[in-house]
């Protein structure tokens, strides 16, 4: 018999993730788990997305970082409800952290909740949080080989956003090679090449997102 | 009494790290542990550094990635001895992996060994490998706030290389703010802003590195 010491931890996390999902669904909140390398542009994508939401959809943010509350302050300055989680050096968010953070957000006033995970292209993929969709950001300056080197992260994603697309050419980024790498680990996964700075590509991302946000609301309205 | 299950693992790793250091020193090899986020430019820095080494100093590389051997192939194509470690999704290299890799390198022919760690700005900092110096790469597109958000990594470094310095201005990177963040967690740590693409800043980095590589060799020559 092999004793797996991590199994009880994962089981406990999965139970809390299910509890989180229940709380979110009850309040009519659609939640995204944003995962990427450090500095890929998660906060900028959140702000660019919020700017393009219809007025009827309000947002909230859970910020995850090993330390500091730099991004939370940026979000709060825009008048968006936000809770900061500092992992104290921990390499990922986990469901119990989200459970605690949800108590500090006005859930009934939020339609779309962004969970900005710790910047880490490996560990974050292994922990379910209870969010509805897992979004992985890659950024152009990181290079086009990331799906080949970090397949676990891209396999865990529901959609991939390629950020900083305005510098695609100056960084010699081979989009076809990147797409091919995605297809190996996660065939036909939606890919959105965007620039939060110039706005390019954001319309397609918003269309995909709105289609998913609005669906559970329509279901709720019918019950 | 509190049972710390991680303690025996760290103790075992530290013993292997000491063994690695002994093997390296015996063979006259100076080893660098290169740590960064994914895609910060570790492989490009290795190649740019090798290009600028005096002919008397020969190099070797240990490549660490969750999957694939893309960088190892690039290194091998340049005629540099290289061993690939695939962690199978693991988020860092550890000393036993290095111990195994050392058996696959011609250590007596190598003066400078680059250990390119897995791209991860958190977990890699916690594992000593037996290398002589720990180098953290930050890259300009990741943003100037990384020392504030990921202090553990920068605290563990002996020197910081700020890569992709050719795009400092177009990414609105505040170098003074970055330097201030470093000084909070690791006062006066050497910082080299470089571009492997344009070559800027590499002379200063090479001078620092050569001073450290040559020192143990002089000691060895005197014994």
């Amino acid at each position: 018999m092999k004793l797996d010491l991590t199994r009880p931890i994962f089981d406990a996390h999965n139970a809390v993730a299910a509890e989180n999902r229940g709380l979110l669904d009850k309040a009519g909140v659609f939640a995204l788990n944003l995962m990427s390398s450090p500095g890929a542009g998660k906060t900028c994508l959140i702000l660019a997305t919020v700017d393009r939401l219809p007025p009827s959809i309000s947002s909230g943010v859970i910020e995850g970082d090993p330390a500091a509350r730099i991004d939370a302050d940026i979000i709060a300055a825009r008048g968006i409800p936000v809770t900061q989680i500092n992992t104290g050096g921990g390499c990922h968010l986990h469901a119990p952290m989200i459970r605690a953070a949800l108590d500090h957000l006005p859930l009934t006033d939020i339609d779309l909740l962004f969970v900005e995970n710790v910047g880490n292209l490996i560990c974050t993929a292994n922990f379910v949080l209870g969010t509805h969709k897992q979004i992985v950001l890659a950024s152009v300056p990181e290079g086009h080989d990331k799906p080949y080197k970090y397949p676990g992260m891209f396999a865990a994603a529901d959609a991939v956003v390629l950020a900083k697309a305005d510098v695609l050419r100056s960084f010699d980024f081979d989009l076809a090679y990147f797409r091919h790498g995605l297809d190996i680990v996660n065939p036909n996964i939606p890919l959105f090449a965007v620039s939060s700075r110039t706005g390019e590509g954001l319309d397609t991302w918003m269309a995909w997102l709105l289609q998913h946000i609005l669906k559970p609301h329509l279901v709720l309205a019918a019950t």
Side-chain angles (χ1 to χ4, degrees), chain A residues 84-108:
Chain A
Q84 174 78 51
I85 298 172
N86 280 145
T87 62
C91 55
H92 59 271
L93 296 180
H94 57 54
M97 293 175 182
I98 302 301
R99 178 65 193 83
L102 291 179
D103 283 342
H104 293 91
L105 285 169
L107 286 189
T108 50

mmCIF file with all atom_site columns, all heavy atoms in Angstrom, chain A residues 84-108:
data_model
loop_
_atom_site.group_PDB
_atom_site.id
_atom_site.type_symbol
_atom_site.label_atom_id
_atom_site.label_alt_id
_atom_site.label_comp_id
_atom_site.label_asym_id
_atom_site.label_entity_id
_atom_site.label_seq_id
_atom_site.pdbx_PDB_ins_code
_atom_site.Cartn_x
_atom_site.Cartn_y
_atom_site.Cartn_z
_atom_site.occupancy
_atom_site.B_iso_or_equiv
_atom_site.pdbx_formal_charge
_atom_site.auth_seq_id
_atom_site.auth_comp_id
_atom_site.auth_asym_id
_atom_site.auth_atom_id
_atom_site.pdbx_PDB_model_num
ATOM 1   N N   . GLN A 1 84  ? -7.519  41.609 -1.345 1.00 0.00 ? 84  GLN A N   1
ATOM 2   C CA  . GLN A 1 84  ? -6.150  41.133 -1.586 1.00 0.00 ? 84  GLN A CA  1
ATOM 3   C C   . GLN A 1 84  ? -5.878  39.887 -0.752 1.00 0.00 ? 84  GLN A C   1
ATOM 4   O O   . GLN A 1 84  ? -6.155  39.851 0.435  1.00 0.00 ? 84  GLN A O   1
ATOM 5   C CB  . GLN A 1 84  ? -5.141  42.214 -1.207 1.00 0.00 ? 84  GLN A CB  1
ATOM 6   C CG  . GLN A 1 84  ? -3.677  41.789 -1.286 1.00 0.00 ? 84  GLN A CG  1
ATOM 7   C CD  . GLN A 1 84  ? -3.150  41.762 -2.718 1.00 0.00 ? 84  GLN A CD  1
ATOM 8   O OE1 . GLN A 1 84  ? -3.295  42.721 -3.460 1.00 0.00 ? 84  GLN A OE1 1
ATOM 9   N NE2 . GLN A 1 84  ? -2.535  40.635 -3.115 1.00 0.00 ? 84  GLN A NE2 1
ATOM 10  N N   . ILE A 1 85  ? -5.329  38.852 -1.397 1.00 0.00 ? 85  ILE A N   1
ATOM 11  C CA  . ILE A 1 85  ? -4.793  37.695 -0.678 1.00 0.00 ? 85  ILE A CA  1
ATOM 12  C C   . ILE A 1 85  ? -3.287  37.733 -0.832 1.00 0.00 ? 85  ILE A C   1
ATOM 13  O O   . ILE A 1 85  ? -2.773  37.736 -1.947 1.00 0.00 ? 85  ILE A O   1
ATOM 14  C CB  . ILE A 1 85  ? -5.318  36.362 -1.264 1.00 0.00 ? 85  ILE A CB  1
ATOM 15  C CG1 . ILE A 1 85  ? -6.833  36.261 -1.135 1.00 0.00 ? 85  ILE A CG1 1
ATOM 16  C CG2 . ILE A 1 85  ? -4.644  35.173 -0.559 1.00 0.00 ? 85  ILE A CG2 1
ATOM 17  C CD1 . ILE A 1 85  ? -7.429  35.055 -1.860 1.00 0.00 ? 85  ILE A CD1 1
ATOM 18  N N   . ASN A 1 86  ? -2.562  37.768 0.278  1.00 0.00 ? 86  ASN A N   1
ATOM 19  C CA  . ASN A 1 86  ? -1.100  37.600 0.238  1.00 0.00 ? 86  ASN A CA  1
ATOM 20  C C   . ASN A 1 86  ? -0.791  36.195 0.718  1.00 0.00 ? 86  ASN A C   1
ATOM 21  O O   . ASN A 1 86  ? -1.162  35.804 1.826  1.00 0.00 ? 86  ASN A O   1
ATOM 22  C CB  . ASN A 1 86  ? -0.382  38.635 1.117  1.00 0.00 ? 86  ASN A CB  1
ATOM 23  C CG  . ASN A 1 86  ? -0.248  39.992 0.440  1.00 0.00 ? 86  ASN A CG  1
ATOM 24  O OD1 . ASN A 1 86  ? -0.315  41.023 1.088  1.00 0.00 ? 86  ASN A OD1 1
ATOM 25  N ND2 . ASN A 1 86  ? -0.077  39.997 -0.871 1.00 0.00 ? 86  ASN A ND2 1
ATOM 26  N N   . THR A 1 87  ? -0.110  35.431 -0.129 1.00 0.00 ? 87  THR A N   1
ATOM 27  C CA  . THR A 1 87  ? 0.151   34.036 0.207  1.00 0.00 ? 87  THR A CA  1
ATOM 28  C C   . THR A 1 87  ? 1.367   33.892 1.122  1.00 0.00 ? 87  THR A C   1
ATOM 29  O O   . THR A 1 87  ? 1.682   32.774 1.529  1.00 0.00 ? 87  THR A O   1
ATOM 30  C CB  . THR A 1 87  ? 0.402   33.208 -1.068 1.00 0.00 ? 87  THR A CB  1
ATOM 31  O OG1 . THR A 1 87  ? 1.574   33.723 -1.722 1.00 0.00 ? 87  THR A OG1 1
ATOM 32  C CG2 . THR A 1 87  ? -0.778  33.278 -2.016 1.00 0.00 ? 87  THR A CG2 1
ATOM 33  N N   . GLY A 1 88  ? 2.053   35.003 1.413  1.00 0.00 ? 88  GLY A N   1
ATOM 34  C CA  . GLY A 1 88  ? 3.241   34.924 2.262  1.00 0.00 ? 88  GLY A CA  1
ATOM 35  C C   . GLY A 1 88  ? 4.336   34.082 1.626  1.00 0.00 ? 88  GLY A C   1
ATOM 36  O O   . GLY A 1 88  ? 5.045   33.352 2.312  1.00 0.00 ? 88  GLY A O   1
ATOM 37  N N   . GLY A 1 89  ? 4.457   34.181 0.314  1.00 0.00 ? 89  GLY A N   1
ATOM 38  C CA  . GLY A 1 89  ? 5.470   33.400 -0.392 1.00 0.00 ? 89  GLY A CA  1
ATOM 39  C C   . GLY A 1 89  ? 4.917   32.151 -1.043 1.00 0.00 ? 89  GLY A C   1
ATOM 40  O O   . GLY A 1 89  ? 5.598   31.506 -1.836 1.00 0.00 ? 89  GLY A O   1
ATOM 41  N N   . GLY A 1 90  ? 3.700   31.779 -0.718 1.00 0.00 ? 90  GLY A N   1
ATOM 42  C CA  . GLY A 1 90  ? 3.075   30.605 -1.341 1.00 0.00 ? 90  GLY A CA  1
ATOM 43  C C   . GLY A 1 90  ? 2.904   30.811 -2.837 1.00 0.00 ? 90  GLY A C   1
ATOM 44  O O   . GLY A 1 90  ? 2.694   31.935 -3.297 1.00 0.00 ? 90  GLY A O   1
ATOM 45  N N   . CYS A 1 91  ? 2.975   29.703 -3.600 1.00 0.00 ? 91  CYS A N   1
ATOM 46  C CA  . CYS A 1 91  ? 3.120   29.792 -5.059 1.00 0.00 ? 91  CYS A CA  1
ATOM 47  C C   . CYS A 1 91  ? 1.798   29.695 -5.811 1.00 0.00 ? 91  CYS A C   1
ATOM 48  O O   . CYS A 1 91  ? 1.805   29.649 -7.036 1.00 0.00 ? 91  CYS A O   1
ATOM 49  C CB  . CYS A 1 91  ? 4.083   28.718 -5.542 1.00 0.00 ? 91  CYS A CB  1
ATOM 50  S SG  . CYS A 1 91  ? 3.628   27.049 -5.039 1.00 0.00 ? 91  CYS A SG  1
ATOM 51  N N   . HIS A 1 92  ? 0.670   29.642 -5.122 1.00 0.00 ? 92  HIS A N   1
ATOM 52  C CA  . HIS A 1 92  ? -0.622  29.540 -5.802 1.00 0.00 ? 92  HIS A CA  1
ATOM 53  C C   . HIS A 1 92  ? -1.735  29.922 -4.834 1.00 0.00 ? 92  HIS A C   1
ATOM 54  O O   . HIS A 1 92  ? -1.538  29.898 -3.608 1.00 0.00 ? 92  HIS A O   1
ATOM 55  C CB  . HIS A 1 92  ? -0.870  28.100 -6.274 1.00 0.00 ? 92  HIS A CB  1
ATOM 56  C CG  . HIS A 1 92  ? -0.858  27.113 -5.141 1.00 0.00 ? 92  HIS A CG  1
ATOM 57  N ND1 . HIS A 1 92  ? 0.282   26.496 -4.705 1.00 0.00 ? 92  HIS A ND1 1
ATOM 58  C CD2 . HIS A 1 92  ? -1.842  26.681 -4.313 1.00 0.00 ? 92  HIS A CD2 1
ATOM 59  C CE1 . HIS A 1 92  ? -0.007  25.700 -3.682 1.00 0.00 ? 92  HIS A CE1 1
ATOM 60  N NE2 . HIS A 1 92  ? -1.287  25.801 -3.421 1.00 0.00 ? 92  HIS A NE2 1
ATOM 61  N N   . LEU A 1 93  ? -2.886  30.283 -5.366 1.00 0.00 ? 93  LEU A N   1
ATOM 62  C CA  . LEU A 1 93  ? -4.091  30.403 -4.542 1.00 0.00 ? 93  LEU A CA  1
ATOM 63  C C   . LEU A 1 93  ? -4.706  29.023 -4.393 1.00 0.00 ? 93  LEU A C   1
ATOM 64  O O   . LEU A 1 93  ? -4.513  28.146 -5.234 1.00 0.00 ? 93  LEU A O   1
ATOM 65  C CB  . LEU A 1 93  ? -5.106  31.348 -5.205 1.00 0.00 ? 93  LEU A CB  1
ATOM 66  C CG  . LEU A 1 93  ? -4.675  32.813 -5.361 1.00 0.00 ? 93  LEU A CG  1
ATOM 67  C CD1 . LEU A 1 93  ? -5.789  33.618 -6.028 1.00 0.00 ? 93  LEU A CD1 1
ATOM 68  C CD2 . LEU A 1 93  ? -4.320  33.425 -4.006 1.00 0.00 ? 93  LEU A CD2 1
ATOM 69  N N   . HIS A 1 94  ? -5.438  28.795 -3.300 1.00 0.00 ? 94  HIS A N   1
ATOM 70  C CA  . HIS A 1 94  ? -6.201  27.559 -3.174 1.00 0.00 ? 94  HIS A CA  1
ATOM 71  C C   . HIS A 1 94  ? -7.607  27.883 -2.668 1.00 0.00 ? 94  HIS A C   1
ATOM 72  O O   . HIS A 1 94  ? -7.880  29.015 -2.242 1.00 0.00 ? 94  HIS A O   1
ATOM 73  C CB  . HIS A 1 94  ? -5.476  26.513 -2.327 1.00 0.00 ? 94  HIS A CB  1
ATOM 74  C CG  . HIS A 1 94  ? -5.119  26.950 -0.940 1.00 0.00 ? 94  HIS A CG  1
ATOM 75  N ND1 . HIS A 1 94  ? -6.026  27.461 -0.046 1.00 0.00 ? 94  HIS A ND1 1
ATOM 76  C CD2 . HIS A 1 94  ? -3.922  26.944 -0.287 1.00 0.00 ? 94  HIS A CD2 1
ATOM 77  C CE1 . HIS A 1 94  ? -5.431  27.730 1.095  1.00 0.00 ? 94  HIS A CE1 1
ATOM 78  N NE2 . HIS A 1 94  ? -4.148  27.452 0.974  1.00 0.00 ? 94  HIS A NE2 1
ATOM 79  N N   . ALA A 1 95  ? -8.486  26.889 -2.759 1.00 0.00 ? 95  ALA A N   1
ATOM 80  C CA  . ALA A 1 95  ? -9.909  27.126 -2.516 1.00 0.00 ? 95  ALA A CA  1
ATOM 81  C C   . ALA A 1 95  ? -10.215 27.745 -1.141 1.00 0.00 ? 95  ALA A C   1
ATOM 82  O O   . ALA A 1 95  ? -11.050 28.652 -1.053 1.00 0.00 ? 95  ALA A O   1
ATOM 83  C CB  . ALA A 1 95  ? -10.691 25.820 -2.706 1.00 0.00 ? 95  ALA A CB  1
ATOM 84  N N   . PRO A 1 96  ? -9.558  27.301 -0.047 1.00 0.00 ? 96  PRO A N   1
ATOM 85  C CA  . PRO A 1 96  ? -9.877  27.935 1.239  1.00 0.00 ? 96  PRO A CA  1
ATOM 86  C C   . PRO A 1 96  ? -9.546  29.436 1.280  1.00 0.00 ? 96  PRO A C   1
ATOM 87  O O   . PRO A 1 96  ? -10.236 30.207 1.953  1.00 0.00 ? 96  PRO A O   1
ATOM 88  C CB  . PRO A 1 96  ? -8.998  27.150 2.235  1.00 0.00 ? 96  PRO A CB  1
ATOM 89  C CG  . PRO A 1 96  ? -8.833  25.796 1.599  1.00 0.00 ? 96  PRO A CG  1
ATOM 90  C CD  . PRO A 1 96  ? -8.723  26.098 0.125  1.00 0.00 ? 96  PRO A CD  1
ATOM 91  N N   . MET A 1 97  ? -8.514  29.855 0.550  1.00 0.00 ? 97  MET A N   1
ATOM 92  C CA  . MET A 1 97  ? -8.216  31.296 0.476  1.00 0.00 ? 97  MET A CA  1
ATOM 93  C C   . MET A 1 97  ? -9.364  32.042 -0.198 1.00 0.00 ? 97  MET A C   1
ATOM 94  O O   . MET A 1 97  ? -9.761  33.131 0.235  1.00 0.00 ? 97  MET A O   1
ATOM 95  C CB  . MET A 1 97  ? -6.940  31.543 -0.340 1.00 0.00 ? 97  MET A CB  1
ATOM 96  C CG  . MET A 1 97  ? -5.652  31.035 0.274  1.00 0.00 ? 97  MET A CG  1
ATOM 97  S SD  . MET A 1 97  ? -4.289  31.286 -0.925 1.00 0.00 ? 97  MET A SD  1
ATOM 98  C CE  . MET A 1 97  ? -2.898  30.579 -0.010 1.00 0.00 ? 97  MET A CE  1
ATOM 99  N N   . ILE A 1 98  ? -9.884  31.440 -1.271 1.00 0.00 ? 98  ILE A N   1
ATOM 100 C CA  . ILE A 1 98  ? -10.994 32.072 -1.991 1.00 0.00 ? 98  ILE A CA  1
ATOM 101 C C   . ILE A 1 98  ? -12.248 32.111 -1.113 1.00 0.00 ? 98  ILE A C   1
ATOM 102 O O   . ILE A 1 98  ? -12.962 33.123 -1.063 1.00 0.00 ? 98  ILE A O   1
ATOM 103 C CB  . ILE A 1 98  ? -11.298 31.301 -3.302 1.00 0.00 ? 98  ILE A CB  1
ATOM 104 C CG1 . ILE A 1 98  ? -10.053 31.245 -4.186 1.00 0.00 ? 98  ILE A CG1 1
ATOM 105 C CG2 . ILE A 1 98  ? -12.479 31.930 -4.046 1.00 0.00 ? 98  ILE A CG2 1
ATOM 106 C CD1 . ILE A 1 98  ? -9.487  32.578 -4.582 1.00 0.00 ? 98  ILE A CD1 1
ATOM 107 N N   . ARG A 1 99  ? -12.472 31.018 -0.379 1.00 0.00 ? 99  ARG A N   1
ATOM 108 C CA  . ARG A 1 99  ? -13.631 30.964 0.529  1.00 0.00 ? 99  ARG A CA  1
ATOM 109 C C   . ARG A 1 99  ? -13.589 32.130 1.507  1.00 0.00 ? 99  ARG A C   1
ATOM 110 O O   . ARG A 1 99  ? -14.622 32.784 1.756  1.00 0.00 ? 99  ARG A O   1
ATOM 111 C CB  . ARG A 1 99  ? -13.627 29.621 1.273  1.00 0.00 ? 99  ARG A CB  1
ATOM 112 C CG  . ARG A 1 99  ? -14.760 29.447 2.285  1.00 0.00 ? 99  ARG A CG  1
ATOM 113 C CD  . ARG A 1 99  ? -16.117 29.429 1.598  1.00 0.00 ? 99  ARG A CD  1
ATOM 114 N NE  . ARG A 1 99  ? -17.216 29.580 2.550  1.00 0.00 ? 99  ARG A NE  1
ATOM 115 C CZ  . ARG A 1 99  ? -17.638 30.747 3.015  1.00 0.00 ? 99  ARG A CZ  1
ATOM 116 N NH1 . ARG A 1 99  ? -17.057 31.887 2.622  1.00 0.00 ? 99  ARG A NH1 1
ATOM 117 N NH2 . ARG A 1 99  ? -18.651 30.812 3.854  1.00 0.00 ? 99  ARG A NH2 1
ATOM 118 N N   . ALA A 1 100 ? -12.418 32.392 2.075  1.00 0.00 ? 100 ALA A N   1
ATOM 119 C CA  . ALA A 1 100 ? -12.279 33.501 3.026  1.00 0.00 ? 100 ALA A CA  1
ATOM 120 C C   . ALA A 1 100 ? -12.462 34.845 2.333  1.00 0.00 ? 100 ALA A C   1
ATOM 121 O O   . ALA A 1 100 ? -13.106 35.755 2.875  1.00 0.00 ? 100 ALA A O   1
ATOM 122 C CB  . ALA A 1 100 ? -10.906 33.434 3.706  1.00 0.00 ? 100 ALA A CB  1
ATOM 123 N N   . ALA A 1 101 ? -11.916 34.969 1.125  1.00 0.00 ? 101 ALA A N   1
ATOM 124 C CA  . ALA A 1 101 ? -11.996 36.248 0.407  1.00 0.00 ? 101 ALA A CA  1
ATOM 125 C C   . ALA A 1 101 ? -13.439 36.586 0.023  1.00 0.00 ? 101 ALA A C   1
ATOM 126 O O   . ALA A 1 101 ? -13.834 37.760 0.023  1.00 0.00 ? 101 ALA A O   1
ATOM 127 C CB  . ALA A 1 101 ? -11.117 36.203 -0.836 1.00 0.00 ? 101 ALA A CB  1
ATOM 128 N N   . LEU A 1 102 ? -14.226 35.550 -0.300 1.00 0.00 ? 102 LEU A N   1
ATOM 129 C CA  . LEU A 1 102 ? -15.623 35.789 -0.731 1.00 0.00 ? 102 LEU A CA  1
ATOM 130 C C   . LEU A 1 102 ? -16.432 36.498 0.356  1.00 0.00 ? 102 LEU A C   1
ATOM 131 O O   . LEU A 1 102 ? -17.355 37.261 0.052  1.00 0.00 ? 102 LEU A O   1
ATOM 132 C CB  . LEU A 1 102 ? -16.296 34.464 -1.125 1.00 0.00 ? 102 LEU A CB  1
ATOM 133 C CG  . LEU A 1 102 ? -15.785 33.793 -2.405 1.00 0.00 ? 102 LEU A CG  1
ATOM 134 C CD1 . LEU A 1 102 ? -16.530 32.475 -2.650 1.00 0.00 ? 102 LEU A CD1 1
ATOM 135 C CD2 . LEU A 1 102 ? -15.924 34.718 -3.608 1.00 0.00 ? 102 LEU A CD2 1
ATOM 136 N N   . ASP A 1 103 ? -16.079 36.247 1.626  1.00 0.00 ? 103 ASP A N   1
ATOM 137 C CA  . ASP A 1 103 ? -16.784 36.891 2.733  1.00 0.00 ? 103 ASP A CA  1
ATOM 138 C C   . ASP A 1 103 ? -16.527 38.394 2.783  1.00 0.00 ? 103 ASP A C   1
ATOM 139 O O   . ASP A 1 103 ? -17.237 39.119 3.485  1.00 0.00 ? 103 ASP A O   1
ATOM 140 C CB  . ASP A 1 103 ? -16.348 36.272 4.071  1.00 0.00 ? 103 ASP A CB  1
ATOM 141 C CG  . ASP A 1 103 ? -17.009 34.921 4.308  1.00 0.00 ? 103 ASP A CG  1
ATOM 142 O OD1 . ASP A 1 103 ? -18.021 34.636 3.633  1.00 0.00 ? 103 ASP A OD1 1
ATOM 143 O OD2 . ASP A 1 103 ? -16.514 34.156 5.157  1.00 0.00 ? 103 ASP A OD2 1
ATOM 144 N N   . HIS A 1 104 ? -15.475 38.836 2.073  1.00 0.00 ? 104 HIS A N   1
ATOM 145 C CA  . HIS A 1 104 ? -15.121 40.256 2.110  1.00 0.00 ? 104 HIS A CA  1
ATOM 146 C C   . HIS A 1 104 ? -15.554 41.006 0.856  1.00 0.00 ? 104 HIS A C   1
ATOM 147 O O   . HIS A 1 104 ? -15.124 42.138 0.629  1.00 0.00 ? 104 HIS A O   1
ATOM 148 C CB  . HIS A 1 104 ? -13.608 40.419 2.314  1.00 0.00 ? 104 HIS A CB  1
ATOM 149 C CG  . HIS A 1 104 ? -13.165 39.958 3.668  1.00 0.00 ? 104 HIS A CG  1
ATOM 150 N ND1 . HIS A 1 104 ? -12.760 38.662 3.906  1.00 0.00 ? 104 HIS A ND1 1
ATOM 151 C CD2 . HIS A 1 104 ? -13.094 40.614 4.855  1.00 0.00 ? 104 HIS A CD2 1
ATOM 152 C CE1 . HIS A 1 104 ? -12.436 38.544 5.190  1.00 0.00 ? 104 HIS A CE1 1
ATOM 153 N NE2 . HIS A 1 104 ? -12.628 39.700 5.785  1.00 0.00 ? 104 HIS A NE2 1
ATOM 154 N N   . LEU A 1 105 ? -16.363 40.356 0.028  1.00 0.00 ? 105 LEU A N   1
ATOM 155 C CA  . LEU A 1 105 ? -16.831 41.005 -1.207 1.00 0.00 ? 105 LEU A CA  1
ATOM 156 C C   . LEU A 1 105 ? -18.351 41.088 -1.212 1.00 0.00 ? 105 LEU A C   1
ATOM 157 O O   . LEU A 1 105 ? -19.021 40.179 -0.708 1.00 0.00 ? 105 LEU A O   1
ATOM 158 C CB  . LEU A 1 105 ? -16.354 40.214 -2.430 1.00 0.00 ? 105 LEU A CB  1
ATOM 159 C CG  . LEU A 1 105 ? -14.875 40.352 -2.806 1.00 0.00 ? 105 LEU A CG  1
ATOM 160 C CD1 . LEU A 1 105 ? -14.495 39.318 -3.847 1.00 0.00 ? 105 LEU A CD1 1
ATOM 161 C CD2 . LEU A 1 105 ? -14.561 41.763 -3.301 1.00 0.00 ? 105 LEU A CD2 1
ATOM 162 N N   . PRO A 1 106 ? -18.905 42.164 -1.785 1.00 0.00 ? 106 PRO A N   1
ATOM 163 C CA  . PRO A 1 106 ? -20.379 42.310 -1.868 1.00 0.00 ? 106 PRO A CA  1
ATOM 164 C C   . PRO A 1 106 ? -20.917 41.454 -3.015 1.00 0.00 ? 106 PRO A C   1
ATOM 165 O O   . PRO A 1 106 ? -21.293 41.972 -4.065 1.00 0.00 ? 106 PRO A O   1
ATOM 166 C CB  . PRO A 1 106 ? -20.560 43.806 -2.137 1.00 0.00 ? 106 PRO A CB  1
ATOM 167 C CG  . PRO A 1 106 ? -19.317 44.209 -2.873 1.00 0.00 ? 106 PRO A CG  1
ATOM 168 C CD  . PRO A 1 106 ? -18.202 43.317 -2.385 1.00 0.00 ? 106 PRO A CD  1
ATOM 169 N N   . LEU A 1 107 ? -20.957 40.135 -2.803 1.00 0.00 ? 107 LEU A N   1
ATOM 170 C CA  . LEU A 1 107 ? -21.251 39.197 -3.895 1.00 0.00 ? 107 LEU A CA  1
ATOM 171 C C   . LEU A 1 107 ? -22.559 39.480 -4.625 1.00 0.00 ? 107 LEU A C   1
ATOM 172 O O   . LEU A 1 107 ? -22.638 39.328 -5.842 1.00 0.00 ? 107 LEU A O   1
ATOM 173 C CB  . LEU A 1 107 ? -21.277 37.756 -3.370 1.00 0.00 ? 107 LEU A CB  1
ATOM 174 C CG  . LEU A 1 107 ? -19.923 37.124 -3.026 1.00 0.00 ? 107 LEU A CG  1
ATOM 175 C CD1 . LEU A 1 107 ? -20.107 35.647 -2.746 1.00 0.00 ? 107 LEU A CD1 1
ATOM 176 C CD2 . LEU A 1 107 ? -18.917 37.351 -4.143 1.00 0.00 ? 107 LEU A CD2 1
ATOM 177 N N   . THR A 1 108 ? -23.579 39.896 -3.890 1.00 0.00 ? 108 THR A N   1
ATOM 178 C CA  . THR A 1 108 ? -24.881 40.106 -4.546 1.00 0.00 ? 108 THR A CA  1
ATOM 179 C C   . THR A 1 108 ? -24.837 41.305 -5.500 1.00 0.00 ? 108 THR A C   1
ATOM 180 O O   . THR A 1 108 ? -25.694 41.436 -6.367 1.00 0.00 ? 108 THR A O   1
ATOM 181 C CB  . THR A 1 108 ? -25.998 40.306 -3.499 1.00 0.00 ? 108 THR A CB  1
ATOM 182 O OG1 . THR A 1 108 ? -25.557 41.299 -2.557 1.00 0.00 ? 108 THR A OG1 1
ATOM 183 C CG2 . THR A 1 108 ? -26.260 39.008 -2.745 1.00 0.00 ? 108 THR A CG2 1
#
